[in-house]
Amino acid sequence: MATARQYPVNIAQMTQTNDATLAAAELAYKQGKQLYEQGTAESLLQAIAKFEQALSLYRKVGDTYSGQSLRSSEAFTVAHLGKIYSDLGQQQKALS
């Protein structure tokens, strides 16, 4: 019976954790996009770090969250990483 009472709390805690993780992923993505748009070599390197952070956080949340698919968010993030590596002349990294 104690386990049944704790279960909703655990779900609520997981939801709060996922909310914070998703918010952090979206912030990192937005920052990466802003850095990418600056277009300097230094900002592109900083954008890579932000996009990699966003990708890790999106994957931590999982494929779906509150009924929405996060796969497209992951895909856009990976696409940005590929474009940056291509812009920097690192074709093999861009492909991977």
Side-chain angles (χ1 to χ4, degrees):
M1 196 161 203
T3 303
R5 289 184 182 157
Q6 290 177 343
Y7 187 70
V9 173
N10 291 338
I11 290 174
Q13 289 170 343
M14 286 176 20
T15 301
Q16 289 173 348
T17 299
N18 283 343
D19 286 347
T21 303
L22 183 57
E26 291 174 346
L27 177 61
Y29 178 85
K30 181 180 176 183
Q31 291 170 337
K33 197 169 174 189
Q34 290 170 341
L35 288 162
Y36 171 76
E37 290 170 355
Q38 291 177 18
T40 66
E42 182 179 336
S43 68
L44 292 177
L45 293 174
Q46 292 172 344
I48 288 171
K50 288 295 182 179
F51 284 128
E52 287 178 347
Q53 179 185 11
L55 185 59
S56 174
L57 291 167
Y58 282 131
R59 288 179 174 164
K60 184 175 181 181
V61 173
D63 289 345
T64 57
Y65 178 70
S66 294
Q68 73 181 43
S69 174
L70 297 180
R71 299 296 285 177
S72 62
S73 298
E74 286 184 47
F76 283 120
T77 305
V78 170
H80 272 86
L81 285 166
K83 176 69 173 132
I84 293 170
Y85 281 122
S86 179
D87 291 349
L88 293 172
Q90 297 181 27
Q91 302 306 322
Q92 191 55 49
K93 274 195 162 187
L95 290 172
S96 24

